[in-house]
Amino acid sequence: MAGRTGRVPPAPRWHQARRAVHRVRTTLRRSAVDYFRGDGSDWIAFAALLVTVPALTWATLAEPLWFAPESLVLPVVLGGLLLRPASLLVLYAAAAGALIVEATVLGPYTAGPGRVTPGTTLVVAAVGLSGLLVAQFRSRVGVPWRRGGTMLFDLRERIRVQSKLPKLPAGWHHEMALRPAGGQSFSGDFVVAALTGPDRRTLEVVLTDVSGKGMDAGSRALLLSGAFGGLLGSLPPHAFLPAANAYLLRQDWQEGFATSVHLVLDLDSGDYELFSAGHVPALQRSAGSGRWEEKAAEGPLLGVYDGVRFDAVKGSLRPGDVLMLFTDGLVETADRELTEGIDRLTGEADRYVVTGFEGAAWHLIEAVARDVNDDRALLLIRRD
């Protein structure tokens, strides 16, 4: 009968409706996901905000005391965060039209409260101008605001992963702590490390302090940490700092210098070489005497001169000895000289090294340079 009359049975119609609703939901969900990832169009947000403008206008005309004309700044603010400049201009035109309608229907602002005043127009215009500037900057950078936080989080995690020290064999222990200036998430200090050699029994560690601090130096630190991580282990130890220096010179940064210390430690014998590029000296504590000895290698800053040499200082870690590498933010401030800072650092280090090594690097930063407005990094290596 259904075939003769051409009518569709109720069940297929219901299934067709369900499929249509499912397709709409899938399309909207996919569009929303793409939008918040920064890959899709902004038509959903644009349509939603464009509908909000007449809705607020109707509410203002109906209840002006509860829905003030200034409420139009809400879609204007959200538009500045969510929309592209072209869509934003259309939204602003709709908001301007809504203000004109409200001023015409409600009457002059001298007739009583709840009207469109010159101040209302100035507030909406100022907010709109601010949103347009933000949208233009975001469009010029090419990173939607909804992806900006994700990108920064990813960059921070990459620096953290690259600064992770490899697991050492039995008989060795290491502690490391990094603290950016001002409690920020990015630091100009970074560490790259790797186990190298034919049998992976050589530990190479590079501790670098990029010029600047915090967010200003974070992007350069990320670039250099990736480059230094690629160089580490690919070149002989004596060739690492010359290659790093040449890399910095090629960048031609206005503020492009850095200090760095390169440790090459034989995990079988405990013998090591220490190369320095303008870095503060390392410190070694002898288990026999309990004294700290400075290990200062010679070498200029990275990224300043071409064709320079970096001479190593040699030493050996015996059982119970500790080697400490750090950046100048830990020991040198505007009101404290380098020698005074080193004396304070070694005095505090004796307490944590003798009583227990777990968490010593972090506790030392807290004790010596907790309130210093500079990037601070500390690395401790002990032979058990």
Side-chain angles (χ1 to χ4, degrees):
M1 183 66 67
R4 295 177 184 177
T5 60
R7 296 178 181 178
V8 180
R13 285 184 177 179
W14 169 247
H15 289 308
Q16 289 178 2
R18 290 185 61 182
R19 285 196 296 268
V21 172
H22 177 71
R23 284 195 298 269
V24 171
R25 289 176 57 188
T26 302
T27 302
L28 290 176
R29 185 167 60 247
R30 185 182 298 114
S31 300
V33 170
D34 290 341
Y35 173 72
F36 281 99
R37 289 179 53 194
D39 302 327
S41 173
D42 62 350
W43 70 269
I44 296 180
F46 173 66
L49 293 175
L50 200 60
V51 170
T52 304
V53 172
L56 289 174
T57 303
W58 177 83
T60 300
L61 296 178
E63 294 290 341
L65 294 181
W66 287 95
F67 296 93
E70 292 84 358
S71 61
L72 286 172
V73 300
L74 298 177
V76 169
V77 169
L78 292 176
L81 295 175
L82 299 174
L83 302 181
R84 296 180 173 88
S87 303
L88 193 59
L89 291 176
V90 177
L91 180 66
Y92 287 176
L99 282 176
I100 294 174
V101 171
E102 291 175 357
T104 303
V105 175
L106 294 176
Y109 62 89
T110 56
R115 267 67 173 179
V116 179
T117 66
T120 301
T121 305
L122 289 177
V123 168
V124 175
V127 173
L129 178 60
S130 301
L132 184 60
L133 293 176
V134 171
Q136 287 180 339
F137 174 78
R138 193 175 63 243
S139 177
R140 185 168 61 252
V141 173
V143 179
W145 76 274
R146 51 197 180 274
R147 287 295 301 274
T150 303
M151 288 184 62
L152 290 176
F153 176 79
D154 182 61
L155 292 177
R156 187 188 68 181
E157 289 303 301
R158 288 179 184 273
I159 293 178
R160 185 185 64 83
V161 170
Q162 289 178 351
S163 298
K164 188 176 181 180
L165 296 178
K167 184 178 180 180
L168 298 183
W172 294 92
H173 186 80
H174 59 66
E175 290 280 342
M176 187 189 69
L178 292 170
R179 174 166 287 191
Q184 300 178 13
S185 298
F186 295 90
S187 173
D189 297 347
F190 67 88
V191 175
V192 291
L195 293 174
T196 62
D199 52 358
R200 297 176 58 84
R201 299 291 295 180
T202 299
L203 174 66
E204 292 194 51
V205 180
V206 178
L207 174 59
T208 303
D209 183 1
V210 179
S211 57
K213 59 185 177 182
M215 291 290 291
D216 297 333
S219 58
R220 284 176 287 142
L222 177 65
L223 179 63
L224 291 183
S225 64
F228 287 9
L231 293 174
L232 196 65
S234 303
L235 298 171
H238 67 273
F240 175 82
L241 286 182
N245 181 60
Y247 179 81
L248 250 71
L249 289 172
R250 289 197 301 271
Q251 305 311 306
D252 196 24
W253 288 331
Q254 185 176 1
E255 189 180 2
F257 66 90
T259 69
S260 189
V261 58
H262 179 201
L263 171 67
V264 184
L265 173 63
D266 188 328
L267 297 175
D268 290 325
S269 64
D271 296 335
Y272 66 84
E273 288 185 312
L274 203 63
F275 300 85
S276 177
H279 205 79
V280 292
L283 296 172
Q284 179 178 348
R285 185 182 187 274
S286 173
S289 64
R291 296 179 180 177
W292 291 91
E293 178 186 358
E294 290 189 9
K295 296 291 183 178
E298 297 294 333
L301 297 170
L302 295 178
V304 178
Y305 303 108
D306 193 10
V308 294
R309 290 185 53 187
F310 300 92
D311 297 323
V313 60
K314 297 183 179 182
S316 181
L317 289 178
R318 295 174 294 275
D321 287 1
V322 177
L323 185 65
M324 180 161 51
L325 308 178
F326 50 92
T327 56
D328 60 356
L330 193 65
V331 294
E332 190 175 20
T333 61
D335 55 352
R336 186 172 66 192
E337 296 183 354
L338 179 63
T339 54
E340 180 185 352
I342 290 178
D343 290 341
R344 183 177 179 185
L345 176 62
T346 54
E348 292 290 340
D350 282 332
R351 296 172 50 195
Y352 295 105
V353 170
V354 173
T355 58
F357 205 70
E358 191 70 27
W362 186 258
H363 288 303
L364 279 175
I365 291 181
E366 286 285 305
V368 177
R370 179 180 181 180
D371 299 322
V372 175
N373 188 27
D374 197 359
D375 299 325
R376 291 141 291 170
L378 177 66
L379 172 63
L380 293 166
I381 300 176
R382 184 185 68 181
R383 188 175 186 183
D384 297 334

